[in-house]
Amino acid sequence: MEYQWFPGHMTKAFRMMQEDIKLIDLVIELLDARVPISSKNPDIDKLAKGKSRLIVLNKYDLANESESRYFETMYEERGFTVVKSDCRNRGNVKKISDAVEIANREKTEKNRKKGIINRPVRAMVVGIPNVGKSTLINSLSNKASAKTGNKPGVTRGKQWIRLNKQIELLDTPGVLWPKFEDKETGLRLALIGTINDDIIDHVELAMSLIGICLESYSDAFIKRYGLEPREILESQNTGNPSLNILEMIAKKRGALLKGGDYDLLKAARLLLSDFRSGKLGRITLDGRPDNG
């Protein structure tokens, strides 16, 4: 299955961002640390040309730590200020506020030379749907100032939030790009919940997740579902290892239909929920670039 999702409101939202960018000093781009390449909208680089840039590797608590360090360094080498964050954790607030100051230092210094002092940094917060932009703003402002939800596309309208005398944030709707470069990008975005769950095949998606995890994270199935290493090894010698393991999960979790058949849909939804909530462990889906 090819995963594509580009509702009409995203075109309107991106046009609004293009209109607002002239008001902006700094673009804060949130990436999902589990998919730090796949969650980067290529249109944002064009939009933010000439602006100070800050990348927040969000949901860092759900991603593999060593891989996150690698991608943090990779983006720093590309000229971005980078900070790793779990935006639900209030302890990250000062870290992000400090990163905003660092990322905008050059613009602040230019303003100072022009005699413009104490002008607040105007930052646009951007990212794909469901990456945590509104949660970040709420954490920074210590109040529910932006709409949040666990479904992609909750934030629709323009929202300015003044955090303090130094920073003003413009929240924006989550925006994808019209066509993904490859099927793997769409797959990974579907796995983290960026693409509307109502339009995807959960069983197929869960088996894709199993296929990815078998390469580097097979222990996750042992720890979470009590599968035996021998069972996982034997499954890899079958015609469809992912289906085999999904059936094992269904059996372990009692996801059975009348007559004793496996309820693969229930098992698939359980697996996807466990992955998205971190119960499966800290997993990064994106591999390192070939030239990395």
Side-chain angles (χ1 to χ4, degrees), residues 194-265:
T194 293
I195 295 174
N196 192 337
D197 269 343
D198 294 337
I199 65 170
I200 64 178
D201 183 324
H202 291 83
V203 173
E204 182 177 300
L205 188 62
M207 288 198 297
S208 296
L209 175 62
I210 292 170
I212 295 171
C213 289
L214 276 176
E215 296 181 19
S216 305
Y217 302 102
S218 59
D219 284 354
F221 304 119
I222 297 170
K223 294 176 182 176
R224 180 63 182 165
Y225 305 113
L227 303 187
E228 296 291 335
R230 171 186 53 80
E231 292 178 305
I232 294 176
L233 187 61
E234 289 175 355
S235 76
Q236 292 176 296
N237 296 322
T238 65
N240 193 334
S242 295
L243 175 59
N244 200 271
I245 289 177
L246 187 60
E247 289 176 343
M248 292 181 201
I249 293 171
K251 182 178 179 181
K252 287 285 186 179
R253 285 293 188 262
L256 303 173
L257 298 168
K258 289 181 180 179
D261 290 337
Y262 298 118
D263 188 340
L264 294 182
L265 179 58

Side-chain angles (χ1 to χ4, degrees), residues 53-107:
R53 302 292 302 276
L54 169 62
I55 282 180
V56 178
L57 290 175
N58 196 29
K59 304 188 181 181
Y60 162 69
D61 57 313
L62 303 179
N64 180 284
E65 291 183 82
S66 63
E67 292 304 294
S68 291
R69 286 194 294 271
Y70 169 83
F71 286 109
E72 178 183 25
T73 300
M74 183 191 80
Y75 280 121
E76 285 175 342
E77 290 175 348
R78 294 181 182 181
F80 297 94
T81 300
V82 184
V83 61
K84 301 190 296 288
S85 173
D86 165 18
C87 288
R88 297 169 298 179
N89 185 343
R90 285 284 302 161
N92 288 296
V93 171
K94 186 177 187 306
K95 182 167 64 173
I96 295 173
S97 296
D98 291 345
V100 168
E101 184 179 338
I102 292 169
N104 202 60
R105 188 171 288 164
E106 185 177 340
K107 179 66 181 293

Side-chain angles (χ1 to χ4, degrees), residues 4 14-15 24 39 59 68 83 90 112 140 186 215 257:
Q4 292 283 348
F14 195 77
R15 285 175 183 162
I24 299 301
S39 61
K59 304 188 181 181
S68 291
V83 61
R90 285 284 302 161
R112 188 188 65 79
L140 290 173
E215 296 181 19
L257 298 168

Side-chain angles (χ1 to χ4, degrees), residues 30 58-59 87 125 128-137 148:
L30 268 71
N58 196 29
K59 304 188 181 181
C87 288
V125 184
I128 63 173
N130 212 29
V131 78
K133 297 182 303 300
S134 297
T135 303
L136 166 68
I137 290 174
T148 60

Side-chain angles (χ1 to χ4, degrees), residues 181-201:
E181 293 82 353
D182 55 65
K183 290 182 179 180
E184 290 301 309
T185 296
L187 167 64
R188 289 167 184 150
L189 293 182
L191 284 168
I192 64 169
T194 293
I195 295 174
N196 192 337
D197 269 343
D198 294 337
I199 65 170
I200 64 178
D201 183 324

Side-chain angles (χ1 to χ4, degrees), residues 10 117 197:
M10 289 189 182
I117 301 173
D197 269 343

